[in-house]
Amino acid sequence: MIPSPLLAIRNLTVEFATRRGTVTAVKAIDIDVGKGETVAIVGESGSGKSVTSYALMRILDRAGRIASGSMIFSGLELARMPELEMRNLRGRELSMIFQNPRAALNPIRKIGHQIEDVLRQHALVGATQAQQRAIEALANVRIARPEERYHAYPFELSGGMCQRVVIALALACRPQLLIADEPTTGLDVTTQKAVMDLVSELTRERAMSSILITHDLGLAAAYADRVVVMEKGDVVETADADTIFRTPYHAYTRKLMRATPRPGCQLRDLLPEETTSPAPSPVADQPSKQQHAPLLRVENLIKEYPKAKSAGSLLSLLGGKSEEPFRAVNAISFCVGRGESVGLVGESGCGKSTTSLMVARLIDATSGRIEFDGTDLTQIPARQFAASPFRARIQMVFQDPTDSLNPRFTAARAIADPLLRFPRLKHGESMRQRCEKLAGQVGLPLDLLDRFPHQLSGGQKARVGIARAIALEPDLIILDEPTAALDVSVQAVVLNLLQELKQKLGMSYLFVSHDLHVVGLMCDRLIVMRGGEIVEQGNSADILANPRHEYTQALIAAIPAPPASK
């Protein structure tokens, strides 16, 4: 006799009312979750995976509604359950880890008190026991010094630590089913592994069932028993994890598998099979590193920040010893050749973004040299660098394609922005013509140029950011996690686009990332940072194949990768 599942979703359809009519986000799907089982729901943005979880928790926004279908959880019908009864189930029997931990936490309330709120809501403890139970919940998710962290506010914690707090909130009442919605988005690979190992261990210890919602196929392969693939609101494939990754039968699943960076693949391998003109491989078509003449040379670069004022500041006024400043970047040296791609990798807080901001001259260095084409740029203060001719030669593509665009500017106006500051129009060329030419170079349809950022997809906004960066034909582009917020298929297209533009325009790249697979595909050389220092640098292929430093080894070991399909 086959045991009945803990959760059985049947013919679930979810609709949203919009100005243009009704949109069906989830279309008559069926999903089962067994007791003690972990099921991953994978798919790209807009596939309906998160909407499915919101429907299950009954937290759809006002425009959304469950149009039809049933959701049977532990014998209870959730689809038509009164809100008061549903409120008693949330947190106690059904719990959720949300995608953005900082947004999920109350910024003006101590984290210990937020855990107490959950416990008291479900009458699991009295007022005298609440604090101790909250501290125990923090200890259970491996937060060091939980008694101290109990009194901390979310802004005082790192992203990984906030994620652990959200997990503690979700598990405080020992629910039967845990839903994790993109629980590692924005985390570096080692923190991602620690968080997922923790969730997996705790759910196994407590015999809980879990749903992992992700667009990272490597994560699904490493932690799920079964995988459900969704595309445009439909479930297109369901199978156990090993089967679905080794022998996927649906074309969409194969497309996702192909677009996922993995050891041994080239950039062109990430593109769909029907693509006819892939970008050249950096390994096959780039000159060797000995042929790269230096364009950027960084020597003994240091960046220090004063520590927050505290009692120590008062002691210094009274003649005591003042506190040492925090050193974010500690005397690092490296170079980037002409036409070369150099990857800068490491965990959050390692100093890579601070380094990129100093090279881009958005912040000043404490000491050291940043020599660009023979000129020491540290002699030009960051506040004055925007007016320097060197500004046009060093450009940046930012991590978040949404936040880096002015919401009041159309795509055309955003692309034109650097051209308005540093006119570089060719004879007889209008600004509109130049914007259209740049849009063509990055594969942005011309009919999108008059749209605002909120009217564009993530991939389209990324293309606008790249077009803006290449508008002045710079010598060096700093790419700060340019594909971190993109789906794997969009990431594949953007990475190939960047490589193609580099070949055509002869630019150099400083590629900042925590994804070593992506950096290995894009970069000739690799620089690994930890604690503000460079621990290893050299040829990308050599470092990825034979890392010497134990930290590099740990970074590579932490990257989840799906098994190779047959």
Side-chain angles (χ1 to χ4, degrees), residues 14-64:
V14 180
E15 296 177 345
F16 286 86
T18 71
R19 293 178 181 177
R20 299 183 180 181
T22 300
V23 174
T24 304
V26 175
K27 306 171 183 176
I29 66 169
D30 295 342
I31 298 174
D32 286 343
V33 180
K35 294 179 180 179
E37 184 182 34
T38 296
V39 175
I41 304 178
V42 303
E44 297 178 295
S45 299
S47 64
K49 56 187 189 297
S50 289
V51 172
T52 300
S53 69
Y54 296 157
L56 181 57
M57 293 290 290
R58 294 278 303 280
I59 53 174
L60 293 168
D61 64 31
R62 291 182 180 179

Side-chain angles (χ1 to χ4, degrees), residues 195-234:
V195 166
M196 287 307 303
D197 284 348
L198 175 64
V199 171
S200 178
E201 179 184 344
L202 292 175
T203 52
R204 187 173 58 252
E205 284 178 359
R206 303 179 184 193
M208 293 165 49
S209 301
S210 58
I211 297 175
L212 172 62
I213 297 171
T214 183
H215 65 261
D216 187 332
L217 273 71
L219 212 62
Y223 294 98
D225 302 307
R226 283 192 306 115
V227 177
V228 176
V229 182
M230 292 189 68
E231 179 190 20
K232 297 178 181 177
D234 291 313

Side-chain angles (χ1 to χ4, degrees), residues 23 58-59 69 113 165 173 275 312 322 334 353 456 484 522 564:
V23 174
R58 294 278 303 280
I59 53 174
H113 295 171
V165 173
C173 297
T275 303
S322 61
F334 64 91
S353 290
L456 303 173
M522 285 292 298

Side-chain angles (χ1 to χ4, degrees), residues 154-385:
F155 68 85
E156 297 177 302
L157 304 177
S158 67
M161 198 70 74
C162 282
Q163 192 64 282
R164 288 172 185 261
V165 173
V166 172
I167 294 170
L169 279 165
L171 299 180
C173 297
R174 295 181 173 266
Q176 294 186 64
L177 177 64
L178 175 69
I179 303 170
D181 184 13
E182 300 278 11
T184 60
T185 298
L187 302 181
D188 53 65
V189 287
T190 50
T191 306
Q192 170 182 277
K193 186 176 188 303
V195 166
M196 287 307 303
D197 284 348
L198 175 64
V199 171
S200 178
E201 179 184 344
L202 292 175
T203 52
R204 187 173 58 252
E205 284 178 359
R206 303 179 184 193
M208 293 165 49
S209 301
S210 58
I211 297 175
L212 172 62
I213 297 171
T214 183
H215 65 261
D216 187 332
L217 273 71
L219 212 62
Y223 294 98
D225 302 307
R226 283 192 306 115
V227 177
V228 176
V229 182
M230 292 189 68
E231 179 190 20
K232 297 178 181 177
D234 291 313
V235 170
V236 297
E237 188 167 356
T238 302
D240 65 83
D242 188 67
T243 299
I244 210 165
F245 289 117
R246 293 192 183 279
T247 55
Y249 75 83
H250 196 276
Y252 180 70
T253 310
R254 293 196 297 271
K255 174 188 172 185
L256 291 180
M257 285 291 298
R258 185 178 178 90
T260 301
R262 55 202 177 277
C265 73
Q266 301 294 327
L267 273 176
R268 57 169 59 94
D269 298 332
L270 304 182
L271 293 171
E273 295 176 2
E274 62 271 17
T275 303
T276 55
S277 57
S281 164
V283 176
D285 300 304
Q286 282 286 340
S288 66
K289 63 181 179 181
Q290 287 83 359
Q291 294 175 291
H292 292 296
L295 172 68
L296 173 73
R297 190 183 298 277
V298 173
E299 297 178 351
N300 296 315
L301 193 64
I302 294 174
K303 179 61 179 179
E304 293 180 339
Y305 292 97
K307 290 188 177 178
K309 293 183 179 181
S310 61
S313 303
L314 180 60
L315 288 175
S316 65
L317 292 174
L318 298 175
K321 189 175 180 180
S322 61
E323 286 189 271
E324 292 292 326
F326 170 70
R327 182 165 288 193
V329 176
N330 187 18
I332 65 170
S333 300
F334 64 91
C335 63
V336 178
R338 294 183 185 275
E340 185 181 31
S341 292
V342 176
L344 192 60
V345 302
E347 295 175 303
S348 299
C350 72
K352 60 185 186 296
S353 290
T354 302
T355 300
S356 69
L357 292 174
M358 287 190 287
V359 172
R361 302 304 298 123
L362 297 177
I363 61 173
D364 286 315
T366 302
S367 64
R369 286 174 60 86
I370 302 173
E371 189 176 294
F372 180 79
D373 201 15
T375 301
D376 183 7
L377 299 184
T378 59
Q379 300 304 309
I380 307 173
R383 289 186 176 182
Q384 300 175 15
F385 194 76

Side-chain angles (χ1 to χ4, degrees), residues 107 117 161 198 255 304 389 394 402 430 441 444 485 488 492 497:
D117 292 341
M161 198 70 74
L198 175 64
K255 174 188 172 185
E304 293 180 339
I394 302 175
T402 300
S430 69
Q441 285 182 294
L444 183 72
V488 286
L497 169 64

